[in-house]
Amino acid sequence: MLSGERKEGGSPRFGKLHLPVGLWINSPRKQLAKLGRRWPSAASVKSSSSDTGSRSSEPLPPPPPHVELRRVGAVKAAGGASGSRAKRISQLFRGSGTGAVGSGGAGGPGTPGGAQRWASEKKLPELAAGVAPEPPLATRATAPPGVLKIFGAGLASGANYKSVLATARSTARELVAEALERYGLASSPGSGPGECSCVDAFALCDALGRPATAGVGSGEWRAEHLRVLGDSERPLLVQELWRARPGWARRFELRGREEARRLEQEAFGAADSDGTGAPSWRPQKNRSRAASGGAALASPGPSSGSGPSTGSGGKERSENLSLRRSVSELSLQGRRRRQQERRQQALSMAPGTADAQIGPADPGDFDQLTQCLIQAPSNHPYFLLLQGYQDAQDFVVYVMTREQHVFGRGGTSSTRSGSPAPYVDTFLNAPDILPRHCTVRAGPEPPAMVRPSRGAPVTHNGCLLLREAELHPGDLLGLGEHFLFMYKDPRTGGSGSARLPWLPARPGATPPGPGWAFSCRLCGRGLQERGEALAAYLDGREPVLRFRPREEEALLGEIVRAAASGAGDLPPLGPATLLALCVQHSARELELGHLPRLLGRLARLIKEAVWGKIKEIGDRQPENHPEGVPEVPLTPEAVSVELRPLMLWMANTTELLSFVQEKVLEMEKEADQEGLSSDPQLCSDLELCDEAMALLDEVIMCTFQQSVYYLTKTLYSTLPALLDSNPFTAGAELPGPGAELEAMPPGLKPTLGVFQAALELTSQCELHPDLVSQTFGYLFFFSNASLLNSLMERGQSRPFYQWSRAVQIRTNLDLVLDWLQGAGLGDIATEFFRKLSTTVNLLCVPRTSLLKASWSSLRTDYPTLTPAQLHHLLSHYQLGPGRGPPPAWDPPPAERDAVDTGDIFESFSSHPPLILPLGSSRLRLSGPVTDDALHRELRRLRRLLWDLEQQELPANHRHGPPVAASP
C-alpha cells in the first residue's frame, strides 16, 4: 500500500490516504485578608504593599461584629438596593425630606432614583444648607474597603507603588499619611496620621496618561493630565465614579504639593492650547470633585457629638460647599449659553426666520431643530444615510466605533437552534435585512473592506456585491431594497477621490469582462470607446479570466480537454494556471456558494481525464501477455513518452491543490472573524471543498502510483546487470565522478538510462521538488530491495559469496552512486542503498580478516543486517573446498530464534509514505503574463467566452470580436 500524508503546516482536515501501488487562567489573586480578619476603621487601617517590604507588625484593632469581607465593587447599597452607578450617585446627593436611604433610591415614594439624582444636582446650592448631619461612626453603614495603588513618583527607590487600604470615607489627606508611612517618610514619632508636617508638604494627585504597555505601571508611563485632589476628597469614590476612556490609564501619585500645583497648571495650559485634552478632562475633573466632595457635606458637625469639635470640620464643609456651588453655577451658565447659541443657529436655518426677531417660543421646537444640526465625527469612519425605511426611526449618521462594524436586523430573538442572536453594531428594521446582513472592516490604514453575508442583498456603487470588496470614501452601499448609505472616512484627510466611483466610468478604464462590455456599467462611453476597451481586455496580458456561472462548465471542460490532448504548446504548469484563474474569479466576483461547486466540478473533470489516460497506457502495456508472444521490455525512451501525460497532471494537480487549499483556509478565516464558523450553510460549503480536495489528492496519488509502477517495471529487467557485469574489462578505464552516461560500463547503462529518463521527465514537467525527491526515493528503494533479494537468492545455489565477485559488485555500485551524485541525487541514493552497500562491504572483507571475526563483532560492525541475513551470508560464504564456517560465526542461543524464523528477503511493502507538498503554491497570478504560449491560450479562452455570450443574443444585437486600435 502506498500511503500519503500531509506535511506540517497543511490543513488539519486532511488525514492519511492509502492507495494500492499495483506492484506492492492564571490562578486567582490572593485575598487581602483571611476570613477571620476584620477591617479596621479608615483612620487606623494599615496598608498592604506590592513590593517586597515587610508588613507592619502592629496588631489590628478588634473588628466590629457586623463587618464581613466582600470584593470591591460587589457590595450593594444599603437596604437591598443594587450597586449600580446611578443609585450610588443618587445617595451622595440625598437631603432631608427626600425619602429614606434604605428605600434603594434617593427620591421619595414613586420617584425613581435617577430622576431625584438629576433634581438634586440642579439644586445643589439650595440643598446644601439642608444637608442632614452625618451619623456617628458607630452607627455609620460600613462600606467595604478598597485597594488603592499610590505611586511614589520618585520618592522611594526599589518600589513603583505602595498599596493602601481605603474606604469610601477615607480622605486624600488620610491616604497621604498612610502612603508616607509606607514609604518610610513619616515625621517624628508621636504625631498621628494626618497631623505631621510631612502631610502638608505632599499631595495626592489623580494622573491620566497613556501606558506604553498593556499594564498600568509597567514600562515607561508619563502623566499627560494631572489634578491635585483636595485634602477632604474621597479617592475611592473618585476612582469608582470616573473611569478613563479606552486607550487611557489613570493612577494616583504622591508628589510634593508645590510641584503638583505646577504640573497641574502646565497640563491644563497645554490642553487649552491644543484644544484636545481640556474638553475631555475638565468636565470629568469637576464631576469627580463634586462626587467625591459630596461625602464631605455629610461629615459630622460640631453638634453631632462625633469628629473634631474645632473649626476644621466647618472649614472643610464650607470649602466643599463653595466648590460645589461654583461648579453648579458654572455648569448652568455654560449650559444656558450653549442652548441659546443652538437656538439662534437653528432659527437662522429655519425657512422664513432669517430676518424675523427671535422672541419667546416653545423650547421643545428648538430642541427638535437642534437635532437637525448634526456634526459628523472627525476621528471615526461613518455612514451617511441617503435612503431609509422608516424616517421616524432611522438616523442620519451611523458611526463605526469598532474596527469591524456589522449591519443586521434589530431585535433580541434567538435563532432556531436556540443560540443567541448574532452580535450587530447597527440595527436596521426592514423586512429584507438579515440578522447579520453585512460586515465592514476599517482598520487604521485604508482601504476598508465590505463583505456581504450569505444570501444578503447588498449593492456596491449600484452593482450587486457577491464577494468581499474594497470600500472607499464616497462609495455607495445599498442594503436590501430600502437602505442606501454613503461611506465617509474623515481620517483620510478628505472626502475621497475627486471623481466619485459610482459616476460613469472614465474613458480608457479596463472593463470588468466581455459580458459587461455593452451594459450600463460602461454607460457614458461611445460605441467606439467601448469596443476599444473590450479589445484591450481580450488581448491584454493581465492574469484575469472572467466568466458567468452559465459558461463555467464549458470553460473548465475546454481547459481540461486541451491539457489532456496536449494541443498547443502550453508551458508545463499552464493548465493549473488557467484553472487557478477560474478559481480566483469565483472567489472574488461570484456569490459565496459558487466556489465549492466550481471546485467539485473541476476535480471531477481532472479525475476523469487522468483515469482515461491511465486506461490508455494500460491498454498499450497489458499485464498479461498472450501465450507464445514474448514480452518486450519497456525502454527508457518508451516509458518517458508513456508517462509524460501522467507526470504533467501530477505536477499541475499538486500546484492547483495548494492554491485551492489557500482559498479554503481564507474562507475559514473570514468565517471565524465574522463569527459564522457554526453556520450550517458554511459547514456544507466546507464539506464540498473537502470532497473536491480529496479527489485532487486521489489524482496525485494515482499518477504517482502509475509513474513509479512503470519506472520500476523498466528497472526490473536492467538491475541484474549490476550483479553480473564485470567493470574491469580489458583495456577499459573506470569513469570518474560526474562522467556522462556514454562513458559508463555497458552493464550499467540500462539502469542509469532509466534514472536519466525519469530525471529529464520530472524536469520537463516542472514537478514539485518534493515529489521529485520522493519519486527517486521510491526508485532507489525498489532497486535496493530487488538487488539485495537477488543477492540473497543467488548465494544459496552456487558459489557467489566470494571476494572477487564482491569487488565487482562494489565497483558497479560505486559507479552508480557517483553518477547519481553528479545528477544531484547522491544524498537520496546513499540513504536508500545503505543496506545493499553494507552487504557488499561484508562480502568484500578479505578471507583472512573475516575468519578472525566473531558473531558479536560482525553484528556490531554491520547493524543494518538482520540476524537471519547475517547468518545466511556467513553460512554460504566460500572459504574453500571442504571448509565450513568457523564456530565463532555461530549465533548465540539468545538470537537463535531470530535466525531460524527471520526472513532474509526485503519486503517491498515497507516503502516510505508519499507526503504531499502542500505549502504555498508556485503559480504566479500577479503581474502580466510573460509566456507567449500561455498568453495565446488565454486570448483564445476569452474569445470563446465572448462567442458564447454573443450566441445568447438575438442576431441583430450581436457584435463581432472587437479589434484594438493601432497605436
Side-chain angles (χ1 to χ4, degrees):
M1 300 295 290
L2 182 63
S3 61
E5 62 185 8
R6 301 262 179 189
K7 280 186 176 180
E8 293 184 3
S11 173
R13 186 178 295 104
F14 311 124
K16 289 188 177 181
L17 299 176
H18 302 277
L19 294 174
V21 170
L23 179 69
W24 68 79
I25 296 199
N26 290 336
S27 60
R29 295 175 62 107
K30 294 182 179 180
Q31 299 274 352
L32 296 177
K34 296 182 180 180
L35 291 177
R37 181 179 298 177
R38 304 296 183 180
W39 297 108
S41 62
S44 61
V45 65
K46 299 298 179 181
S47 61
S48 61
S49 176
S50 63
D51 59 330
T52 58
S54 61
R55 297 177 180 270
S56 176
S57 59
E58 297 181 9
L60 296 175
H66 61 280
V67 177
E68 60 175 330
L69 260 179
R70 297 183 183 178
R71 294 183 58 187
V72 177
V75 182
K76 296 184 177 181
S82 65
S84 65
R85 179 180 178 183
K87 293 188 177 181
R88 288 198 303 270
I89 296 178
S90 66
Q91 293 188 21
L92 293 177
F93 298 102
R94 65 183 183 274
S96 58
T98 58
V101 176
S103 61
T111 303
Q116 182 62 29
R117 165 184 171 269
W118 178 245
S120 301
E121 288 180 351
K122 286 184 176 181
K123 302 177 180 180
L124 286 180
E126 291 81 4
L127 295 176
V131 174
E134 182 179 4
L137 181 62
T139 61
R140 202 183 290 173
T142 303
V147 179
L148 288 181
K149 296 179 179 179
I150 299 181
F151 289 77
L155 297 182
S157 60
N160 291 329
Y161 62 86
K162 298 291 184 178
S163 298
V164 299
L165 298 180
T167 66
R169 299 295 182 182
S170 300
T171 63
R173 185 179 180 85
E174 294 173 348
L175 296 182
V176 167
E178 292 292 332
L180 290 175
E181 184 180 1
R182 294 302 313 280
Y183 279 104
L185 299 178
S187 64
S188 60
S191 59
E195 300 294 331
C196 62
S197 59
C198 288
V199 177
D200 297 330
F202 292 91
L204 190 63
C205 304
D206 192 1
L208 182 69
R210 294 184 183 270
T213 56
V216 178
S218 60
E220 294 294 332
W221 193 93
R222 183 176 63 88
E224 298 187 16
H225 304 278
L226 194 72
R227 186 178 73 87
V228 179
L229 295 178
D231 291 343
S232 58
E233 287 194 64
R234 317 298 189 190
L236 192 62
L237 290 179
V238 173
Q239 178 178 264
E240 184 68 18
L241 299 180
W242 180 82
R243 303 290 183 183
R245 291 182 179 179
W248 293 80
R250 55 96 58 89
R251 68 183 191 183
F252 292 97
E253 295 182 355
L254 188 62
R255 293 181 178 271
R257 189 173 296 272
E258 296 299 327
E259 177 193 5
R261 292 296 183 186
R262 179 180 55 80
L263 293 176
E264 182 182 33
Q265 295 299 329
E266 292 177 357
F268 285 114
D272 291 338
S273 62
D274 58 18
T276 56
S280 61
W281 172 257
R282 284 195 172 180
Q284 300 292 342
K285 169 190 173 184
N286 296 337
R287 183 174 62 181
S288 301
R289 284 190 175 182
S292 60
L297 294 175
S299 59
S303 59
S304 62
S306 63
S309 58
T310 62
S312 61
K315 179 181 178 181
E316 194 173 309
R317 287 195 303 273
S318 63
E319 291 177 355
N320 287 316
L321 284 174
S322 175
L323 172 64
R324 292 182 57 182
R325 183 179 296 111
S326 61
V327 170
S328 302
E329 291 173 356
L330 290 175
S331 300
L332 292 177
Q333 291 176 4
R335 185 182 305 168
R336 295 191 192 101
R337 182 175 64 255
R338 289 191 297 271
Q339 289 179 351
Q340 183 67 17
E341 292 175 355
R342 287 198 299 266
R343 174 187 176 189
Q344 293 178 358
Q345 187 178 7
L347 289 178
S348 64
M349 297 181 62
T353 61
D355 300 330
Q357 183 178 3
I358 300 177
D362 186 5
D365 297 337
F366 298 134
D367 293 340
Q368 293 180 2
L369 288 175
T370 55
Q371 292 180 3
C372 302
L373 305 177
I374 299 176
Q375 184 178 4
S378 59
N379 55 350
H380 290 283
Y382 62 94
F383 293 88
L384 180 64
L385 180 68
L386 303 181
Q387 177 182 322
Y389 181 67
Q390 295 176 339
D391 295 338
Q393 298 181 4
D394 296 334
F395 295 96
V396 180
V397 174
Y398 294 84
V399 184
M400 290 185 62
T401 57
R402 301 190 305 140
E403 182 173 337
Q404 177 171 296
H405 195 85
V406 181
F407 291 90
R409 183 186 302 166
T412 57
S413 58
S414 301
T415 59
R416 287 180 293 180
S417 60
S419 59
Y423 180 83
V424 174
D425 296 279
T426 295
F427 295 100
L428 303 176
N429 292 320
D432 56 348
I433 298 297
L434 300 184
R436 190 183 180 99
H437 197 89
C438 180
T439 302
V440 178
R441 294 196 305 273
E445 299 295 333
M449 304 300 294
V450 54
R451 180 179 180 85
S453 299
R454 183 180 301 278
V458 179
T459 59
H460 181 216
N461 293 332
C463 301
L464 185 63
L465 186 63
L466 300 175
R467 306 294 301 184
E468 187 177 46
E470 293 183 356
L471 188 65
H472 299 276
D475 285 1
L476 298 182
L477 187 65
L479 306 183
E481 298 181 357
H482 304 281
F483 288 96
L484 182 63
F485 299 94
M486 177 181 287
Y487 175 71
K488 309 285 283 185
D489 191 352
R491 302 174 301 174
T492 58
S495 56
S497 59
R499 184 182 181 92
L500 295 177
W502 39 269
L503 290 176
R506 300 183 183 89
T510 304
W516 293 273
F518 294 94
S519 65
C520 62
R521 291 189 63 162
L522 296 179
C523 58
R525 299 185 184 183
L527 183 61
Q528 182 179 358
E529 292 177 346
R530 284 182 277 176
E532 293 176 355
L534 177 60
Y537 164 73
L538 294 178
D539 297 332
R541 288 183 175 269
E542 293 298 323
V544 176
L545 189 58
R546 297 185 176 93
F547 59 91
R548 297 177 300 180
R550 67 187 71 175
E551 298 142 3
E552 171 189 302
E553 186 172 2
L555 176 61
L556 296 180
E558 180 64 20
I559 297 175
V560 174
R561 183 198 61 78
S565 62
D569 52 352
L570 274 177
L573 298 181
T577 302
L578 296 174
L579 294 174
L581 291 178
C582 298
V583 174
Q584 184 170 267
H585 174 74
S586 175
R588 290 181 177 180
E589 303 291 341
L590 303 182
E591 61 177 346
L592 296 175
H594 182 267
L595 180 61
R597 297 193 298 269
L598 180 141
L599 294 180
R601 183 179 290 113
L602 175 62
R604 288 190 294 271
L605 288 174
I606 294 178
K607 181 179 178 181
E608 292 173 1
V610 171
W611 259 237
K613 188 61 64 176
I614 291 176
K615 186 176 183 302
E616 293 178 8
I617 299 176
D619 293 340
R620 291 191 294 266
Q621 304 292 334
E623 289 290 334
N624 300 320
H625 290 267
E627 295 183 1
V629 179
E631 180 179 359
V632 179
L634 282 172
T635 62
E637 295 78 10
V639 75
S640 178
V641 173
E642 292 286 3
L643 294 182
R644 180 178 175 83
L646 295 182
M647 198 74 73
L648 281 173
W649 276 121
M650 189 196 312
N652 283 270
T653 307
T654 301
E655 302 302 331
L656 185 61
L657 180 57
S658 299
F659 180 78
V660 169
Q661 185 183 8
E662 292 176 2
K663 293 300 179 183
V664 174
L665 292 178
E666 289 177 3
M667 183 190 306
E668 292 180 338
K669 183 178 180 180
E670 292 174 356
D672 293 338
Q673 290 177 351
E674 298 180 7
L676 300 177
S677 56
S678 59
D679 183 18
Q681 187 62 39
L682 177 64
C683 295
S684 177
D685 289 347
L686 292 178
E687 290 179 0
L688 292 177
C689 294
D690 288 346
E691 294 175 1
M693 289 187 287
L695 289 179
L696 297 179
D697 278 344
E698 187 177 352
V699 169
I700 299 174
M701 291 292 182
C702 290
T703 51
F704 181 84
Q705 165 198 346
Q706 294 298 316
S707 298
V708 297
Y709 169 73
Y710 285 107
L711 288 173
T712 53
K713 186 177 180 181
T714 307
L715 278 174
Y716 187 73
S717 60
T718 64
L719 288 175
L722 271 72
L723 303 179
D724 299 330
S725 64
N726 183 10
F728 305 103
T729 57
E733 295 183 2
L734 296 180
E740 298 293 334
L741 180 60
E742 298 300 329
M744 303 302 292
L748 305 183
K749 286 183 180 180
T751 299
L752 295 180
V754 177
F755 292 149
Q756 185 176 21
L759 186 61
E760 293 176 353
L761 183 61
T762 56
S763 177
Q764 294 171 1
C765 296
E766 295 186 13
L767 190 64
H768 196 282
D770 290 351
L771 286 182
V772 173
S773 61
Q774 293 183 74
T775 299
F776 280 96
Y778 193 91
L779 296 181
F780 298 154
F781 163 80
F782 172 82
S783 302
N784 175 81
S786 180
L787 290 172
L788 186 61
N789 291 346
S790 179
L791 187 62
M792 291 292 179
E793 183 180 6
R794 296 174 67 178
Q796 296 179 358
S797 57
R798 54 181 176 174
F800 199 77
Y801 299 157
Q802 50 186 336
W803 180 84
S804 59
R805 179 60 64 90
V807 170
Q808 296 178 10
I809 299 175
R810 178 72 263 176
T811 303
N812 287 332
L813 186 58
D814 288 341
L815 292 175
V816 171
L817 293 177
D818 290 343
W819 187 90
L820 293 175
Q821 181 71 33
L825 302 171
D827 295 340
I828 305 175
T830 303
E831 175 68 24
F832 286 96
F833 278 107
R834 178 175 287 112
K835 197 159 193 177
L836 178 63
S837 296
T838 302
T839 304
V840 177
N841 290 341
L842 174 62
L843 298 177
C844 287
V845 176
R847 184 186 308 172
T848 55
S849 300
L850 192 61
L851 289 174
K852 298 178 182 179
S854 63
W855 174 268
S856 59
S857 63
L858 292 175
R859 286 284 292 147
T860 304
D861 295 338
Y862 305 98
T864 57
L865 295 175
T866 64
Q869 292 172 340
L870 179 60
H871 181 264
H872 177 78
L873 293 173
L874 295 177
S875 60
H876 294 83
Y877 192 83
Q878 304 298 319
L879 294 175
R883 295 187 61 178
W889 291 357
D890 292 338
E895 294 186 89
R896 177 60 63 180
D897 292 340
V899 170
D900 296 338
T901 60
D903 193 355
I904 62 174
F905 299 108
E906 288 293 304
S907 173
F908 288 97
S909 61
S910 58
H911 56 78
L914 175 62
I915 303 176
L916 300 183
L918 295 181
S920 58
S921 176
R922 296 187 297 163
L923 302 178
R924 296 294 175 260
L925 303 182
S926 59
V929 178
T930 57
D931 189 272
D932 294 336
L934 181 60
H935 179 229
R936 287 193 296 268
E937 183 67 14
L938 189 60
R939 291 174 53 194
R940 186 183 72 85
L941 294 175
R942 289 170 177 171
R943 293 179 179 270
L944 174 65
L945 294 173
W946 169 260
D947 294 338
L948 293 177
E949 294 181 13
Q950 291 298 307
Q951 291 175 7
E952 299 179 1
L953 300 176
N956 57 342
H957 288 174
R958 296 176 185 174
H959 299 271
V963 179
S966 59

